[in-house]
Amino acid sequence: MKKFQIYILNLKRHRNRRKHIISELEKQNIKNYEFVDAIDGNRLNKSQLDLMTCKNEKIFNPKNTNMSAGQIACALSHIKIYKKFLNSKFELALIFEDDAKFLNKFTEKLKRLILKNFQYDSQIILLSKLREFYKKPIDKIKNYEFVEVTDSLYTHSYFINRNAAKSITLFNYPVKTVSDNFFVFKIYCGIKLYGLNPFLVDQDLKNFKTSITNKSDLNKIFLWKMYFHKKKNRILKKRLKKLISHYD
């Protein structure tokens, strides 16, 4: 079975969150974890943000330099973990944010299902809620299916391999997009994205409100662009099928 290291993102000032995630891991009998100090967007000044953010106005993502300080800091925090992971001996990393909450037991059988399905050079496997995925499972055990994911928006719990970590680090520094923009990472970094159905880990939003603000108007613009891109692809696929069937 592939070896992996667990990394937990946590701001030093968020002591209650640290206690929470330690408690969650203890319930799962997980001990081999390491805390990584998250980058605090509230402590980054404008010149620092400018230095660490992509300035190409023609970039694919209209959010680029207009992301909030919290979103930029979150992206930088995940990149910080990737760099730490790439300097380690481990093949895989399991990353948690400090508000993660297990919905069920993370059994050895479930771990084996995940680890045996790391079959691509650049791959991420999500333990969080999936936004869009293919209904037909690739693999399964009792109560869980392993599925291919087309889009997701959460980074509070996921496995990542070395090539995927390296690709995102090279692509997203200076920061071009938010840390959970998996749709973009699939396209521009060639990452294969998979997950569990049903999902295993949620966010404890009841006890912990997100500390990351976003600029909602720009976010809506980006989501609309994603929607039209996907719709265009569906139309092209239908036309291609008709064209192929015409010659059959």
Side-chain angles (χ1 to χ4, degrees):
M1 193 155 52
K2 292 183 177 71
K3 292 183 178 180
F4 62 92
Q5 174 64 10
I6 297 171
Y7 298 98
I8 306 166
L9 266 181
N10 170 256
L11 284 170
K12 280 186 176 180
R13 58 187 168 87
H14 287 168
R15 295 178 183 176
N16 287 342
R17 288 172 175 253
R18 181 179 284 248
K19 288 179 182 177
H20 159 79
I21 192 63
I22 290 173
S23 174
E24 285 293 310
L25 295 173
E26 285 178 348
K27 290 174 189 174
Q28 300 292 334
N29 198 30
I30 294 174
K31 299 174 182 177
N32 63 324
Y33 57 83
E34 178 181 346
F35 277 96
V36 176
D37 291 334
I39 294 167
D40 193 341
N42 293 328
R43 296 184 179 180
L44 295 175
N45 59 42
K46 188 178 183 303
S47 60
Q48 289 173 313
L49 290 169
D50 286 344
L51 184 66
M52 294 182 286
T53 310
C54 180
K55 293 296 177 292
N56 184 352
E57 293 180 359
K58 296 180 180 178
I59 200 70
F60 62 89
N61 184 355
K63 291 175 75 174
N64 52 58
T65 55
N66 292 307
M67 288 182 290
S68 71
Q71 288 174 317
I72 295 168
C74 184
L76 291 169
S77 296
H78 281 266
I79 289 170
K80 183 178 180 180
I81 286 185
Y82 300 157
K83 288 180 177 178
K84 191 174 189 65
F85 163 48
L86 291 170
N87 284 325
S88 76
K89 62 182 180 181
F90 294 98
E91 300 173 68
L92 305 169
L94 173 54
I95 297 170
F96 290 107
E97 292 176 350
D98 56 14
D99 60 352
K101 177 179 71 173
F102 284 89
L103 302 178
N104 213 331
K105 280 290 183 183
F106 193 18
T107 64
E108 290 301 316
K109 187 177 286 188
L110 190 51
K111 288 175 190 174
R112 285 195 293 270
L113 173 72
I114 293 168
L115 297 178
K116 79 171 183 176
N117 280 291
F118 259 103
Q119 298 178 357
Y120 295 94
D121 287 340
S122 293
Q123 189 173 352
I124 289 173
I125 297 176
L126 302 166
L127 305 184
S128 56
K129 187 176 182 180
L130 309 177
R131 189 176 182 194
E132 295 177 1
F133 60 94
Y134 292 104
K135 300 298 182 183
K136 186 178 179 180
I138 294 166
D139 201 352
K140 60 183 178 180
I141 59 173
K142 186 179 180 181
N143 299 325
Y144 283 98
E145 296 176 339
F146 185 82
V147 295
E148 184 175 358
V149 179
T150 53
D151 193 17
S152 189
L153 295 172
Y154 306 99
T155 51
H156 56 266
S157 54
Y158 63 99
F159 278 92
I160 187 168
N161 66 7
R162 297 181 70 85
N163 281 343
K166 184 177 180 180
S167 295
I168 295 176
T169 301
L170 291 172
F171 171 79
N172 207 31
Y173 188 84
V175 178
K176 295 182 180 74
T177 188
V178 290
S179 61
D180 57 2
N181 201 340
F182 293 113
F183 178 75
V184 163
F185 297 149
K186 274 168 60 72
I187 295 172
Y188 289 89
C189 301
I191 289 170
K192 299 289 186 180
L193 190 62
Y194 294 86
L196 297 176
N197 180 38
F199 60 100
L200 179 68
V201 184
D202 203 354
Q203 289 174 292
D204 189 353
L205 297 177
K206 182 179 178 181
N207 294 309
F208 304 108
K209 291 183 179 180
T210 180
S211 58
I212 300 171
T213 57
N214 62 64
K215 300 192 175 181
S216 58
D217 289 342
L218 291 164
N219 191 47
K220 286 175 184 175
I221 291 169
F222 181 62
L223 291 174
W224 271 110
K225 288 200 171 188
M226 283 176 62
Y227 168 77
F228 285 117
H229 173 79
K230 291 176 183 179
K231 191 169 185 179
K232 180 182 175 184
N233 278 349
R234 283 195 292 269
I235 292 169
L236 289 173
K237 283 179 182 178
K238 284 181 181 178
R239 288 180 180 175
L240 184 60
K241 282 182 181 178
K242 283 183 180 179
L243 185 64
I244 292 171
S245 63
H246 176 74
Y247 288 100
D248 284 347

